């Protein structure tokens, strides 16, 4: 056999294997060079709406409206409640060119129609701004007897005329309310109202953190109970101030009068706090200053005002003794007063209870006043326990028609005040007092007979206050264990929505850095290497064949 055909077969086989290897390597390199398809991320398209950022002037209330020549630059108002409203207008001409300036206020619903000329020679009314501009002021004094409706809008306009006989007008408005921003006081940002003017209970407050809805809901229960008792429909409109916010500021002059200072022209004006109360009272509002920032305490303040004002108007003929009035007001509160029972019991065991004649009026001594309030509440509570849950309210209603409290007590319950007080002092140490101390008129009542200390032949004493009935405790029996029969689960294929299964993120294989990495990542470099190897093999075979031929 000749060596030449064998040599060429070897070359062909080498070329064939090289081509196969080259194809495999090229395919793998092509797959490696393809960029991995990334998992799409959630894209949120946000529509950006341009907003106008502005710094509102402390006294400006609406957009400036002009007629005539535009030498008026702005108008503004500064509420200095309850003394005055400071009105101002800015101009961009020298003050010497202004011949006249006139202010006009109007409000059709109240009939307000006021006009006045501004004294341009007064330093309090004019403030120069350089040589080419000025500000004019007018202090509109508030008359508390004919003040505009609170929380309403008042229109005002300026009319100015120059030496060239050129005129201009500017229109604006302000809210007539206590929106104080003058120097020396805390600013009041805005008023919120819960309830309408026609509602029995309306709350208006300036503190944005005050939950007016919650306060009104809790006080509405007391008002409904009072209205159901007396059969009247009183209305209450409370304007609630935070503690420490007083009218007219804190500037006291040598004459002892209070003054407030304008924040615009720094002028002091006299102020009378009573004018604020007059304005509120004449328009049907009750000013209520919070004792603290505690919401529960505010609810108690409102409830006390509702009860005292309602019954004071209801008891026209004869006011009841102090202990019954105080006890009824405490009983109408939605919360119980268990501590009062402890105070009264301690005094009873020490023989220190206040006598009946000392309960007619509240004492001035704080220690005695605490015991007085405890006895007043418990004596009223005993009326409910002894004669029925509605007994205190029936007695309160009877005082409208009966001239004396003693006569009403005798007519309704057949007992004199002395006997009533004696029986009450014995009741203090009974279990009935413990049960009654956990009751309020807002709980559902079930008439239950209670033990009486002295029988009355004329009536059967009952009590509408719920009593505790011991209920046998259920015996806990361990339930039998359930026997579970293993049931082979039926395999089902439930298609899942795309993306519901979390796919593991492939970890890339670390590749060493350097020149070898660059060569391995280049398909052309690999092809060149393979061709070089093939040529080298051909050369080796050729040289080997020539050597054998020479032999």
């Amino acid at each position: 056999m000749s060596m030449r055909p064998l040599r060429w077969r070897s070359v062909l086989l080498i070329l064939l294997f090289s081509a196969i290897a080259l194809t495999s390597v090229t395919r793998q390199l092509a797959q490696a060079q393809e960029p991995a398809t990334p998992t799409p991320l959630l894209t949120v398209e946000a529509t950006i709406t341009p907003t106008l950022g502005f710094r509102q002037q402390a006294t400006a209330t609406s957009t400036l409206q002009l007629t005539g020549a535009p030498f008026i630059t702005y108008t503004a108002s500064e509420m200095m409640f309850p003394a005055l409203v400071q009105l101002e207008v800015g101009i961009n001409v020298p003050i010497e060119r202004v011949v006249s300036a006139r202010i006009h206020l109007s409000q059709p619903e109240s009939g307000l129609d006021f006009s006045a000329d501004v004294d341009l020679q007064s330093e309090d009314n004019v403030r120069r701004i350089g040589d080419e501009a000025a500000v004019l002021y007018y202090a509109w004094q508030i008359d508390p007897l004919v003040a505009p409706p609170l929380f309403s809008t008042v229109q005002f306009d300026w009319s100015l005329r120059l030496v060239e006989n050129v005129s201009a007008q500017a229109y604006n408005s302000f809210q007539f309310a206590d929106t104080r921003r003058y120097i020396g006081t805390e600013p009041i940002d805005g008023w919120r109202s819960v309830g309408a003017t026609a509602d029995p209970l309306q709350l208006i407050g300036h503190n944005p953190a005050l939950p007016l809805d919650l306060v009104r809901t809790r006080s509405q229960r007391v008002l409904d109970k009072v209205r159901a008792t007396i059969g009247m429909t009183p209305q209450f409109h409370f304007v609630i101030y935070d503690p420490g916010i007083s009218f007219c500021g804190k500037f006291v002059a040598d004459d002892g009068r209070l003054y407030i200072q304008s924040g615009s022209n720094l002028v002091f004006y006299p102020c009378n706090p009573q004018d604020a109360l007059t304005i509120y009272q004449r328009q049907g509002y009750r000013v209520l200053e919070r004792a603290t920032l505690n919401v529960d305490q505010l609810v108690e303040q409102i409830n006390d005002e509702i009860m005292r004002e309602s019954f004071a108007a209801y008891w026209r003929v004869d006011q009841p003794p102090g202990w019954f009035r105080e006890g009824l007001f405490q009983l109408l509160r939605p919360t119980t007063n268990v501590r009062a029972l402890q105070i009264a019991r301690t005094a009873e065991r020490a023989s220190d209870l206040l006598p009946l004649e000392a309960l007619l009026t509240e004492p001035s001594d704080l220690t005695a006043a605490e015991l007085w309030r405890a006895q007043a509440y418990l004596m009223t509570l005993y009326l409910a326990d002894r004669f029925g849950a509605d007994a205190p309210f029936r007695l309160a209603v009877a005082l409208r028609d009966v001239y004396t409290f003693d006569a009403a007590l005798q007519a309704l319950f057949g007992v004199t005040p002395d006997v009533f007080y004696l029986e009450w002092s014995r009741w203090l140490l009974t279990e009935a007092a413990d049960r009654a101390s956990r009751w309020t008129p807002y709980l559902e009542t079930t008439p239950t007979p209670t033990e009486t200390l002295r029988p009355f032949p004329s009536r059967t004493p009952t009590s509408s206050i719920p009593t505790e009935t011991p209920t046998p405790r259920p015996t806990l029996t361990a339930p039998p264990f359930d026997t579970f029969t293993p049931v082979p689960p039926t395999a089902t294929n439930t298609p899942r929505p795309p993306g519901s299964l979390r796919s593991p993120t492939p970890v890339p294989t670390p590749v060493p850095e350097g020149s070898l990495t660059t060569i391995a990542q280049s398909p052309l470099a690999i092809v060149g290497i393979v061709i070089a190897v093939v040529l080298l093999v051909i050369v080796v075979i050729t040289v080997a064949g020539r050597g054998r031929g020479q032999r």
Side-chain angles (χ1 to χ4, degrees):
M1 178 181 294
S2 174
M3 295 295 297
R4 193 177 190 84
L6 180 60
R7 185 170 61 244
W8 285 107
R9 287 195 197 97
S10 301
V11 171
L12 291 176
L13 290 175
I14 291 173
L15 290 176
L16 178 61
F17 287 125
S18 299
I20 295 173
L22 180 61
T23 302
S24 176
V25 170
T26 304
R27 184 180 302 164
Q28 294 179 2
L29 289 175
Q31 294 176 355
Q33 291 296 323
E34 290 181 0
T37 303
T39 302
L41 300 176
L42 293 178
T43 304
V44 179
E45 296 182 0
T47 302
I48 301 177
T49 304
T51 57
L52 297 178
F54 65 96
R55 182 178 63 87
Q56 185 178 6
Q57 295 183 7
T59 57
T61 56
S62 64
T63 305
L64 178 66
Q65 300 179 12
L66 295 173
T67 61
F71 58 84
I72 296 179
T73 57
Y74 79 94
T75 63
S77 62
E78 181 183 7
M79 174 59 69
M80 304 175 68
F81 187 86
L84 56 95
V85 181
Q86 181 87 294
L87 305 172
E88 61 182 275
V89 59
I91 57 176
N92 58 2
V93 295
I95 189 61
E96 289 77 13
R97 292 176 56 187
V98 180
V99 175
S100 64
R102 188 173 182 83
I103 186 69
H104 175 246
L105 292 91
S106 63
Q107 188 182 60
E109 56 267 30
S110 64
L112 173 64
D113 190 5
F114 174 83
S115 298
D117 293 323
V118 179
D119 184 6
L120 301 179
Q121 304 302 319
S122 174
E123 295 182 356
D124 294 342
N125 297 340
V126 178
R127 178 167 62 92
R128 297 175 181 270
I129 304 177
D131 296 331
E132 299 296 329
V135 179
L136 306 181
Y137 300 95
Y138 183 81
W140 179 59
Q141 303 292 329
I142 299 175
D143 186 350
L145 300 180
V146 292
L150 287 161
F151 313 108
S152 66
T153 301
V154 176
Q155 307 291 334
F156 72 94
D157 60 88
W158 284 89
S159 299
L160 278 72
R161 188 168 59 88
L162 304 182
V163 294
E164 297 86 356
N165 201 23
V166 177
S167 300
Q169 282 186 305
Y171 303 86
N172 211 325
S173 63
F174 62 88
Q175 184 189 38
F176 186 74
D178 185 5
T179 54
R180 65 184 75 178
R181 294 179 183 274
Y182 42 83
I183 299 174
T185 62
E186 294 293 332
I188 295 178
D189 296 326
W191 293 94
R192 295 181 300 118
S193 175
V194 175
T197 305
D199 294 337
L201 181 60
Q202 181 187 24
L203 303 181
I204 304 174
H206 65 84
N207 189 338
L210 178 61
L212 287 175
D213 294 291
L214 175 62
V215 175
R216 183 173 183 265
T217 300
R218 295 173 60 180
S219 297
Q220 187 68 46
R221 296 177 59 193
V222 175
L223 179 58
D224 292 341
K225 185 67 175 179
V226 171
R227 295 174 64 188
T229 300
I230 64 179
M232 298 173 62
T233 57
Q235 290 188 334
F236 295 90
H237 306 284
F238 289 101
V239 178
I240 304 172
Y241 281 90
D242 281 353
I245 297 182
S246 59
F247 299 112
C248 296
K250 302 177 181 178
F251 294 105
V252 182
D254 295 337
D255 57 1
R257 301 173 62 186
L258 285 174
Y259 283 79
I260 55 177
Q261 185 179 17
S262 170
S264 53
N265 61 353
L266 304 181
V267 176
F268 287 90
Y269 298 94
C271 182
N272 184 5
Q274 186 59 40
D275 290 345
L277 300 178
T278 301
I279 294 173
Y280 280 118
Q281 291 171 1
R282 289 182 64 87
Q283 299 190 20
Y285 294 99
R286 302 169 184 268
V287 178
L288 182 64
E289 181 180 354
R290 303 170 63 179
T292 64
L293 293 178
N294 184 275
V295 175
D296 294 336
Q297 191 164 11
L298 173 61
V299 173
E300 291 186 4
Q301 285 183 259
I302 295 176
N303 292 343
D304 288 343
E305 287 284 335
I306 290 175
M307 291 181 290
R308 297 181 190 280
E309 290 291 334
S310 300
F311 283 100
Y314 183 73
W315 290 323
R316 296 176 302 178
V317 179
D318 182 36
Q319 293 291 323
W323 71 262
F324 178 72
R325 185 171 58 250
E326 173 66 24
L328 183 65
F329 295 163
Q330 291 191 46
L331 188 65
L332 283 170
R333 294 174 180 170
T335 57
T336 59
N337 189 2
V338 181
R339 186 172 180 273
L341 182 60
Q342 301 173 354
I343 295 174
R345 280 180 171 175
T346 302
E348 165 65 15
R349 293 188 179 100
S351 300
D352 290 336
L353 284 176
L354 297 176
L356 183 60
E357 55 272 14
L359 298 174
L360 299 180
T361 57
E362 182 176 1
S364 58
D365 181 69
L366 295 179
T367 304
E370 183 180 34
L371 178 59
W372 182 84
R373 286 190 291 267
Q375 290 188 218
Y377 168 69
L378 293 170
M379 290 173 67
T380 310
L381 189 63
Y382 174 65
L383 278 172
D385 187 56
R386 176 69 173 80
F387 302 108
D390 61 339
F393 309 107
R394 288 192 288 131
L395 181 58
V397 172
L399 294 179
R400 185 179 178 86
D401 303 322
V402 180
Y403 287 96
T404 63
F405 178 82
D406 297 351
L409 189 66
Q410 179 73 33
L412 289 178
F413 310 121
V415 60
T416 62
D418 294 333
V419 174
F420 172 79
Y421 178 83
L422 178 62
E423 291 185 351
W424 165 79
S425 61
R426 297 174 182 174
W427 171 84
L428 279 178
L429 304 178
T430 64
E431 293 182 0
D434 292 314
R435 292 192 298 267
S437 64
R438 297 189 294 269
W439 175 82
T440 69
Y442 304 96
L443 300 175
E444 294 183 1
T445 57
T446 303
T448 304
T450 59
E451 179 184 359
T452 59
L453 300 179
R454 186 177 67 86
F456 287 90
S458 59
R459 64 176 65 244
T460 303
T462 58
S463 174
S464 300
I465 301 177
T467 58
E468 295 182 355
T469 304
T471 304
R473 295 186 177 181
T475 304
L476 299 179
T477 306
F481 291 100
D482 294 333
T483 304
F484 296 95
T485 303
V487 179
T490 303
T492 58
N493 294 325
T494 303
R496 295 179 178 268
S500 60
L501 297 179
R502 183 179 297 178
S503 302
T505 303
V507 181
T509 304
V511 180
E513 298 181 356
S515 59
L516 293 179
T517 304
T518 304
I519 295 176
Q521 291 179 352
S522 176
L524 296 177
I526 298 298
V527 173
I529 293 174
V530 172
I531 293 175
V533 172
V534 172
L535 293 178
L536 179 62
V537 171
I538 293 174
V539 172
V540 172
I541 294 175
T542 303
V543 173
R546 290 179 179 178
R548 289 193 186 95
Q550 292 176 0
R551 290 178 186 177

